Amino acid sequence: MAPPAPTAPPLHPAPGPAHRARTRAVGVHAAGAVVVAAAAARLHATGGYAVAPGGLLDCPLHTFTGLWCPFCGGLRCVAALTHGDVAAAVSFNVVAVALLPVLAGLWLWSLVAAAREAQAPPRVTNRGWLVLLAVLLVFTVWRNVPALPLADYLGP
């Protein structure tokens, strides 16, 4: 008897665990993009104001102390960016304008890495977190001390 003829491997093998994990990671990124797009659309429609009924998104620090936190004006900043008004966005929260492209870049890098099974974006080191915390602290103090130059401009 003749040996059996070799069979060709299937064109589309059954997905394995690695393929399912990659698909799940890409799906999580897509779901995150949908949530961010929906939130940005809501901010675009409201101008960053009246996002939640009853003032649920009032800044607790500003409500209790009258001081501006580093995130005060962030929602209006994003709303201004959705309208293409970069000058207004900077006047609401200059730090948010600087950080949003960095966050978007890291998200995009992570999405591409998940889709290609490539190396994930670098993690933020402890030193990086401390630098970010220092920048936010300086920004917070600067926007709350009227005697400092540009302090009036840095408030939301």
Side-chain angles (χ1 to χ4, degrees):
M1 286 200 130
T7 59
L11 293 176
H12 301 287
H19 176 71
R20 284 191 294 272
R22 182 175 66 215
T23 302
R24 186 177 19 233
V26 171
V28 167
H29 280 80
V34 168
V35 169
V36 168
R42 178 73 173 143
L43 289 172
H44 179 82
T46 64
Y49 297 98
V51 180
L56 294 176
L57 293 179
D58 288 343
C59 175
L61 180 71
H62 185 68
T63 301
F64 294 116
T65 66
L67 298 174
W68 302 111
C69 82
F71 307 109
C72 282
L75 295 176
R76 287 176 282 150
C77 170
V78 172
L81 288 173
T82 65
H83 287 279
D85 192 351
V86 177
V90 168
S91 73
F92 289 131
N93 193 320
V94 68
V95 171
V97 172
L99 288 179
L100 285 173
V102 173
L103 293 174
L106 287 173
W107 175 85
L108 186 61
W109 188 352
S110 180
L111 170 66
V112 170
R116 293 184 178 172
E117 293 184 17
Q119 182 178 0
R123 295 223 177 252
V124 179
T125 64
N126 287 342
R127 180 176 288 169
W129 286 114
L130 287 174
V131 167
L132 178 62
L133 183 64
V135 166
L136 292 176
L137 183 64
V138 167
F139 176 62
T140 302
V141 170
W142 199 333
R143 74 188 322 198
N144 284 296
V145 178
L148 293 175
L150 300 175
D152 290 337
Y153 184 72
L154 294 177

